[in-house]
């Protein structure tokens, strides 16, 4: 077995233990447990079995229910991940019981202490989930079950996940009412855990880049593409109103190379089977699915495992961008191209920004935005670009460490900016 794969499995096992410890910490806060374990916790309150044992039972049930929902081709393609759910389930349940016993000393009395324990547990859970996603070799049964449903019925993963969590919490409440004559195990902590763990995961995720080399996650460009990529490629990320599109066109004309912006919409539509209007709207807005993914629990599944329409669009655009870069020199605007093409030998990554006043003025004069809405529109689109980039890359949008050149187009102008980039381009072309 590949050494990098072994290391990924090692990280995954550690992640599963951290997740179990975080869940136990949340539960010990006595403000309710996380949605995914709410049924197991309630069942453990009025039966001889522990929460970990009930976790094993319910997860094995999920695994059985997945079979009639999966098509033959899907089962064949995902057989490894499907079968891995079984040992993972037993480990997860065992880890939960070990953690609950280890935390026997944790019995906060004051409400403030309970809340502190809850938030601490949420942070521990987020650390584990981010590591699990980084390992990217397997899935826990609950997440695989949600993905199976979303694929079978062609529904957004985020919406199915939300419905799944709500169903579990409702079932936990019903069981508690029936067998204990009151609602126990589901409280405000259940809602808080559902809301804050997701943002914590996205905050923690960039720190795990330190494992990239150790687990072989630098994603080197395939040899076939590397051989074809001896030519330079320019990527331009830009704040709205900074003139990035105009700069890209200017550079492409000067250098006599293709410029890709709106053409990517048409190509991505063909690649993903979506309409061009859908692709265009998705690119310029922060979709409800992405918002939900950031807040609820669409953070536990690696991108290629969930594939919502937004994810499918990102994957399609990424494939197209790599193909275009392999064909020859070009200028590519936006679409996380600097991240998608990382590892290319002659990549010139540019970030354009400007003062808010200049961006508002340009959006009015050149983009036709009404003066009364210009500032809010600039802020809205830039927020959407930040969220999109950071959600899909785990990097900070506009961080100087991610680019070769940061240019304030408002202070130096587009002509001077083009001169600088052209000079660098011709230098790396020699």
């Amino acid at each position: 077995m590949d050494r990098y794969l072994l290391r990924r499995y090692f990280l995954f096992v550690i992640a599963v233990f951290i997740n179990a410890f975080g869940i136990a910490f949340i539960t010990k806060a006595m403000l309710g447990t996380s949605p995914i374990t709410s049924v197991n916790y309630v069942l453990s309150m009025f039966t001889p079995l522990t929460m970990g044992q009930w976790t094993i039972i319910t997860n094995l049930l999920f695994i059985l229910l997945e079979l009639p929902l999966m098509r033959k081709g899907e089962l064949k393609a995902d057989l490894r991940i499907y079968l891995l759910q079984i040992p993972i389930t037993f480990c997860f349940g065992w880890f939960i019981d070990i953690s609950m016993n280890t935390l026997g000393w944790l019995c906060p009395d004051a409400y403030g202490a309970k809340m502190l324990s809850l938030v601490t547990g949420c942070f521990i859970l987020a650390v584990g989930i981010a590591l699990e996603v980084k390992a990217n070799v397997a899935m826990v049964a609950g997440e695989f079950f949600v993905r199976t449903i979303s694929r079978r019925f062609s529904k957004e993963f985020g919406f199915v996940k939300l419905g799944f969590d709500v169903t579990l919490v409702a079932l936990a409440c019903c069981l508690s009412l029936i067998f204990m004559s009151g609602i126990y195990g589901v409280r405000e902590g259940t809602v808080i855990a559902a809301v804050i763990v997701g943002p914590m995961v996205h905050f923690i995720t960039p720190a795990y880049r330190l494992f990239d080399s150790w687990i072989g996650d630098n994603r080197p460009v395939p040899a076939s593409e590397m051989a074809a990529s001896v030519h330079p490629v320019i990527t331009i990320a830009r704040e709205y109103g900074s003139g990035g599109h105009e700069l890209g066109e200017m550079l492409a004309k000067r250098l006599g190379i293709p410029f890709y912006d709106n053409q990517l919409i048409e190509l991505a539509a063909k690649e993903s089977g979506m309409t061009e209007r859908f692709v265009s709207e998705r690119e310029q807005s922060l979709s409800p699915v992405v918002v939900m993914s950031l807040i609820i629990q669409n953070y536990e599944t690696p991108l290629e495992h969930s594939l919502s329409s937004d994810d499918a669009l990102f994957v399609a655009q990424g494939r197209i961008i790599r193909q275009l870069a392999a064909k020859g020199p070009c200028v590519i605007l936006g679409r996380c191209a600097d991240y998608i093409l990382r590892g290319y030998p002659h990549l010139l990554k540019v970030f354009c920004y400007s003062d808010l006043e200049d961006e508002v003025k340009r959006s009015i004069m050149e983009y036709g935005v009404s003066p009364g809405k210009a500032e809010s529109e600039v802020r809205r689109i830039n927020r959407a670009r930040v969220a999109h980039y950071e959600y899909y890359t785990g990097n900070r949008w506009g961080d100087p460490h991610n680019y070769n050149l940061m240019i304030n187009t408002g202070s130096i102008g587009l002509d001077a900016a083009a001169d600088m980039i052209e000079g660098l381009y011709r230098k790396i072309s020699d």
Side-chain angles (χ1 to χ4, degrees), residues 87-342:
I88 290 169
T89 290
F90 282 96
C91 287
F92 192 38
W94 185 45
F95 288 160
I96 286 177
D97 281 344
I98 290 175
S99 300
M100 290 292 286
N101 292 330
T102 302
L103 294 172
W105 56 269
L106 183 62
C107 301
D109 292 323
Y111 189 79
K114 291 181 178 180
M115 189 60 68
L116 179 60
S117 298
L118 173 69
V119 174
T120 302
C122 289
F123 181 79
I124 294 171
L125 180 58
V127 169
I129 290 171
L131 186 61
E132 177 187 330
V133 173
K134 186 66 178 179
N136 193 16
V137 287
M139 296 175 69
V140 294
E143 294 304 310
F144 194 91
F145 183 58
V146 172
R147 191 194 72 162
T148 301
I149 296 174
S150 65
R151 280 186 169 183
R152 181 67 178 183
F153 299 102
S154 301
K155 301 296 183 181
E156 293 283 1
F157 182 94
F159 288 113
V160 176
K161 176 62 176 167
L162 178 61
F164 180 67
D165 287 344
V166 171
T167 301
L168 290 179
V169 172
L171 180 57
C173 290
C174 290
L175 290 170
S176 182
L177 283 169
I178 293 170
F179 292 99
M180 294 185 289
S181 302
I183 296 179
Y184 302 97
V186 177
R187 287 185 53 179
E188 64 271 29
T190 304
V191 178
I192 292 171
V195 170
I196 71 173
V197 174
M200 284 181 174
V201 170
H202 285 280
F203 175 78
I204 294 167
T205 295
Y208 286 135
R209 283 179 288 182
L210 61 91
F211 290 116
D212 284 353
S213 298
W214 194 67
I215 63 175
D217 201 26
N218 292 318
R219 304 190 185 199
V221 181
S224 58
E225 293 186 21
M226 186 71 78
S229 301
V230 294
H231 48 262
V233 173
I234 300 172
T235 64
I236 299 178
R238 78 289 186 209
E239 291 183 346
Y240 183 72
S242 64
H245 179 90
E246 293 83 352
L247 178 61
E249 286 187 322
M250 187 182 300
L251 279 169
K253 186 175 181 180
R254 285 190 184 189
L255 299 171
I257 59 178
F259 171 60
Y260 298 109
D261 181 11
N262 292 331
Q263 301 94 322
L264 289 172
I265 294 176
E266 179 183 354
L267 293 171
K270 292 179 180 178
E271 176 78 14
S272 62
M274 304 171 188
T275 66
E276 291 184 31
R277 180 178 178 181
F278 176 89
V279 173
S280 180
E281 290 175 351
R282 244 8 183 226
E283 287 189 326
Q284 293 299 325
S285 65
L286 185 57
S287 76
V289 174
V290 172
V291 174
M292 186 190 319
S293 299
L294 291 171
I295 297 177
I296 310 295
Q297 293 189 23
N298 191 7
Y299 48 74
E300 298 185 34
T301 307
L303 172 63
E304 60 269 30
H305 291 161
S306 62
L307 286 181
S308 65
S309 56
D310 295 275
D311 297 341
L313 174 59
F314 177 79
V315 171
Q317 287 187 333
R319 189 177 297 116
I320 291 165
I321 286 170
R322 287 190 291 270
Q323 291 171 354
L324 294 175
K327 286 182 179 180
C330 59
V331 180
I332 302 176
L333 187 71
R335 281 87 181 182
C336 305
D338 58 279
Y339 175 82
I340 291 168
L341 297 177
R342 66 197 187 285

Side-chain angles (χ1 to χ4, degrees), residues 58-108:
T58 55
N59 281 8
L60 288 176
L61 178 61
F62 292 151
I63 294 171
L64 288 175
L65 292 174
E66 289 161 3
L67 278 175
L69 293 172
M70 297 178 70
R71 299 178 177 88
K72 288 185 178 180
E74 292 174 344
L75 181 59
K76 183 178 180 180
D78 294 333
L79 185 59
R80 178 185 63 85
I81 296 177
Y82 177 80
L83 294 176
L84 278 174
Q85 290 179 99
I86 298 173
I88 290 169
T89 290
F90 282 96
C91 287
F92 192 38
W94 185 45
F95 288 160
I96 286 177
D97 281 344
I98 290 175
S99 300
M100 290 292 286
N101 292 330
T102 302
L103 294 172
W105 56 269
L106 183 62
C107 301

